[in-house]
Amino acid sequence: MKTASLIGVALGATLVIASGAACTRESTGTGPSAPVVTVGSGADNGVLVGADQPRSDSDFWSAYAGYLGPKAAAAGVKLENTSSDNDANRLKSNVDTLLSKNVKAIIMAPQDTAAVKPALTAAAAKNVPVVSVDTRPDSGGVYMVVRADNRAYGTKSCIYLGETLKGAGKVVEFQGDLSSINGRDRSEAFAECMKTRYPGIKMIEIPTDWKGDRAVSGLQDKLLTDPDINGIYMQAGGVFLQSTMALLRRSNKLVKAGAPGHITIVSNDGIKAELDAIEAGEIDATISQPADLYAQYAAFYAKAAVDGRKFAPGPTDHGSTIIDTGVGGTLEDQLSAPVVTRTGGKVGELDTVNTTAPGLWGHGG
């Protein structure tokens, strides 16, 4: 699978990242001519905030990067951008650089949630608050986590598959990186749900570390030993979708929904390519992880931290819930992430929305 790449840092505080054509979490396998997404510098006279982009091979994060500049500008935040490219050591170096530029807060999205501790320690030593987006550091130490409920991702994906398959069959799970709390939350919740609610389904786990080639290689092997696989759970549609579709197509197993032999596929992300695949009957559902709201509330909480605002657990004024994570007093704003299907409606106890529902960022908002 080809990946998009970091193009460079433009003049001032503008970071340019190569993006998939769908401009959406992980790479969809685009070539070097793919358009670029610019991380804007926010408000010219705003509060200076450092913002580290976590990945350059990520369609979801390219979308987030595209949203961040305008959302920061609206919040009165000026951005100083860096990119750690999924490297904990580089993230620590970037944080040191941002601190040397006297940023007043830092936005980051650590992909290895244990290895981020040195970066957080450096920020704390300078009394610079940190907002963590999408992931929650294992040791706490951040002002606010902006995230959706990733355990709910695993549980809802399990319920969709379990109900659709009527509690029988074989389901492959592409596990995310278990060094990330997102990978752990989704994997643990999915496994618990399957074992307790759908014991008639055989669960086949494929570790991937969020890498599409590992997922496809593992699936190719499993299709040889278990050709009757009838379900797939992809923890990150952006990194897994296109390569999985290509493999199923080559194997004559990409059968449209409703036809005999269709493999029921549930994904997590909400990128445009997933929504299009649902409409085409190639996959069945996704959980729309809100890239636009991640950017909006990352900037909001960074500014709030600088202003000295305090928050408490409970409902917010933007339809989410702040929880106490139980990790060093860290709070987490859990934003809404709906289940998306072709027609919407009930699947078991799940309420789903259709692919044209207003507000789905994968269709441009």
Side-chain angles (χ1 to χ4, degrees), residues 20-46:
C23 183
T24 56
R25 191 180 181 112
E26 287 76 10
S27 169
T28 57
T30 55
S33 62
V36 296
V37 172
T38 299
V39 188
S41 56
D44 289 341
N45 299 315

Side-chain angles (χ1 to χ4, degrees), residues 136-137 139-145 323-332:
R136 184 177 72 235
S139 57
V142 299
Y143 173 81
M144 182 67 74
V145 176
I323 66 166
D324 185 336
T325 65
V327 180
T330 296
L331 299 179
E332 177 174 308

Side-chain angles (χ1 to χ4, degrees), residues 53-354:
Q53 302 299 316
R55 302 181 69 136
S56 59
D57 64 343
S58 164
D59 286 344
F60 177 88
W61 287 113
S62 292
Y64 164 83
Y67 285 118
L68 187 57
K71 299 295 188 182
V77 167
K78 180 177 177 61
L79 296 175
E80 180 71 31
N81 292 294
T82 62
S83 176
S84 54
D85 210 19
N86 201 24
D87 184 315
N89 291 327
R90 188 178 301 177
L91 176 58
K92 170 58 167 63
S93 177
N94 288 348
V95 166
D96 289 341
T97 298
L98 293 171
L99 293 172
S100 73
K101 295 183 177 182
N102 297 316
V103 297
K104 304 304 179 186
I106 292 175
I107 297 168
M108 64 170 67
Q111 301 297 282
D112 186 328
T113 53
V116 70
K117 186 174 181 179
L120 296 178
T121 299
K126 297 283 189 178
N127 295 314
V128 172
V130 173
V131 175
S132 182
V133 180
D134 181 59
T135 62
R136 184 177 72 235
D138 293 355
S139 57
V142 299
Y143 173 81
M144 182 67 74
V145 176
V146 176
R147 189 171 176 248
D149 183 350
N150 277 247
R151 287 192 62 84
Y153 288 8
T155 299
K156 290 177 179 180
S157 299
C158 162
I159 293 171
Y160 186 91
L161 285 167
E163 295 298 316
T164 303
L165 300 179
K166 303 186 185 308
K170 297 178 181 178
V171 169
V172 166
E173 177 194 10
F174 294 157
Q175 293 182 317
D177 191 340
L178 298 184
S179 69
S180 160
I181 191 170
N182 290 357
R184 293 197 301 273
D185 276 357
R186 297 178 201 187
S187 298
E188 290 169 3
F190 185 77
E192 289 170 10
C193 171
M194 276 292 174
K195 289 174 183 176
T196 57
R197 297 186 56 157
Y198 307 105
I201 292 179
K202 177 183 177 181
M203 189 173 63
I204 303 169
E205 297 172 336
I206 298 179
T208 70
D209 295 334
W210 302 125
K211 295 178 180 177
D213 56 348
R214 293 189 184 183
V216 170
S217 175
L219 178 60
Q220 187 167 352
D221 291 342
K222 296 302 180 184
L223 287 173
L224 295 175
T225 58
D226 294 280
D228 53 345
I229 287 167
N230 60 348
I232 298 174
Y233 170 36
M234 301 190 293
Q235 287 193 13
V239 73
F240 302 135
L241 179 66
Q242 300 298 344
S243 52
T244 300
M245 295 296 98
L247 171 61
L248 294 178
R249 191 174 288 111
R250 291 195 305 271
S251 305
N252 294 318
K253 289 184 175 292
L254 188 59
V255 178
K256 294 293 182 71
H262 173 68
I263 297 176
T264 300
I265 300 175
V266 181
S267 190
N268 294 170
D269 268 350
I271 63 176
K272 185 179 186 300
E274 288 172 302
L275 302 183
D276 290 346
I278 292 171
E279 292 173 353
E282 295 176 337
I283 72 171
D284 301 83
T286 188
I287 297 177
S288 181
Q289 183 166 237
D292 55 343
L293 298 184
Y294 279 9
Q296 179 175 339
Y297 289 101
F300 168 82
Y301 284 116
K303 179 66 161 53
V306 175
D307 291 344
R309 296 182 59 183
K310 304 293 184 182
F311 297 89
T316 70
D317 61 1
H318 48 272
S320 63
T321 301
I322 294 176
I323 66 166
D324 185 336
T325 65
V327 180
T330 296
L331 299 179
E332 177 174 308
D333 189 349
Q334 293 191 333
L335 302 174
S336 175
V339 181
V340 184
T341 60
R342 187 175 184 183
T343 59
K346 282 278 191 180
V347 178
E349 71 261 42
L350 295 178
D351 291 308
T352 77
V353 302
N354 65 45

